[in-house]
Amino acid sequence: MSKEKETHLCYKDVNSDESLVLARKDALEWIFKVKAHHRFNALTIVLAVNYFDRFFASFKFQKDNPWMGQLAAVACLSLAAKVEETQVPLLLDLQVEESKYVFDSKTIQRMELLVLSTLKWRMNPVTPISFFDHITRRLGLRTHLHWEFLHSCEHLLLILIADSKFMLYIPSILAAATMLYVIKEIEPCHYLEYRKQLLRVLKT
């Protein structure tokens, strides 16, 4: 629990500022469009959003520079792809899907360095996905529904993290809530049993 809090900041200031919420919304909408275009996996996007949110909360954005959020989004997605993907698009190829601004490679690389230094090079944070497979194994969900279950959890998680209100929850809580919802959808008859087991796992 302490490890996940190391890379989970307090985001109340972001949610209290409408302009920051809007900037985040625009940035994440672009990130999700690029995900669909390049078929990035869920963890890449979760990492990109994690980097962006942590950078967003730590770095004082200049509201009169609307391109700043877009540049940060490009840099964070590029860094996440380098961490997780086996094939990483060129920086110019990454900027697809109706980008409001297009940045040259040197500008993006400078922003990548700024993100890295701001995040103190902590690029492997604990995320909700970190808990999915572990908890699934502990719950004994090793059936033919296993991969469908994980896929459903990842799909729902991507919907949740797009909403700035969910920035307030630490990864384990977000993972537990996501899994409980999916369990109720897939195996409603065993929902109460799995809920008890899941809560027990989280306490250990």
Side-chain angles (χ1 to χ4, degrees):
M1 189 71 75
S2 59
K3 186 177 180 181
E4 65 177 320
K5 289 183 178 179
E6 288 179 4
T7 51
H8 185 85
L9 304 175
C10 179
Y11 298 113
K12 290 182 180 178
D13 291 341
V14 173
N15 282 285
S16 62
D17 190 322
E18 188 175 343
S19 63
L20 292 180
V21 171
L22 182 59
R24 181 185 188 271
K25 179 177 178 291
D26 290 342
L28 265 61
E29 282 181 355
W30 176 82
I31 287 175
F32 282 104
K33 287 179 181 178
V34 176
K35 173 195 182 300
H37 182 90
H38 287 292
R39 297 183 179 180
F40 289 150
N41 66 52
L43 182 54
T44 298
I45 303 308
V46 171
L47 286 175
V49 174
N50 178 281
Y51 299 163
F52 184 85
D53 286 343
R54 287 160 56 203
F55 181 71
F56 211 52
S58 303
F59 189 82
K60 192 169 184 179
F61 276 87
Q62 298 175 347
K63 297 178 184 178
D64 55 344
N65 291 330
W67 52 266
M68 193 72 169
Q70 176 70 38
L71 178 56
V74 175
C76 290
L77 183 55
S78 172
L79 289 169
K82 290 173 183 175
V83 170
E84 185 60 26
E85 299 291 332
T86 54
Q87 294 185 336
V88 181
L90 297 174
L91 291 175
L92 289 177
D93 293 336
L94 195 63
Q95 300 177 83
V96 294
E97 300 299 331
E98 302 176 0
S99 298
K100 290 183 181 179
Y101 309 94
V102 177
F103 307 98
D104 60 50
S105 297
K106 288 186 178 180
T107 300
I108 297 171
Q109 288 167 351
R110 285 196 294 268
M111 177 56 83
E112 286 180 340
L113 288 174
L114 179 58
V115 171
L116 287 168
S117 61
T118 301
L119 303 188
K120 299 179 180 178
W121 293 79
R122 294 177 177 175
M123 310 310 286
N124 288 293
V126 176
T127 71
I129 291 180
S130 307
F131 292 92
F132 285 162
D133 191 58
H134 171 70
I135 294 177
T136 298
R137 292 172 186 273
R138 292 287 298 273
L139 292 181
L141 293 175
R142 306 298 293 178
T143 67
H144 65 285
L145 293 175
H146 175 66
W147 295 113
E148 178 188 345
F149 175 73
L150 289 179
H151 177 75
S152 297
C153 287
E154 290 178 351
H155 178 73
L156 178 58
L157 177 65
L158 293 180
I159 295 174
L160 296 179
I161 63 174
D163 189 331
S164 61
K165 293 192 294 292
F166 288 95
M167 295 168 66
L168 300 173
Y169 298 98
I170 59 176
S172 58
I173 298 300
L174 203 51
T178 300
M179 295 180 76
L180 284 173
Y181 181 89
V182 174
I183 288 173
K184 195 170 185 178
E185 291 293 307
I186 294 179
E187 297 192 32
C189 295
H190 300 95
Y191 171 71
L192 293 178
E193 177 187 345
Y194 281 130
R195 185 178 69 174
K196 289 180 181 178
Q197 292 183 41
L198 190 149
L199 293 175
R200 196 177 306 124
V201 169
L202 289 175
K203 290 178 180 178
T204 58

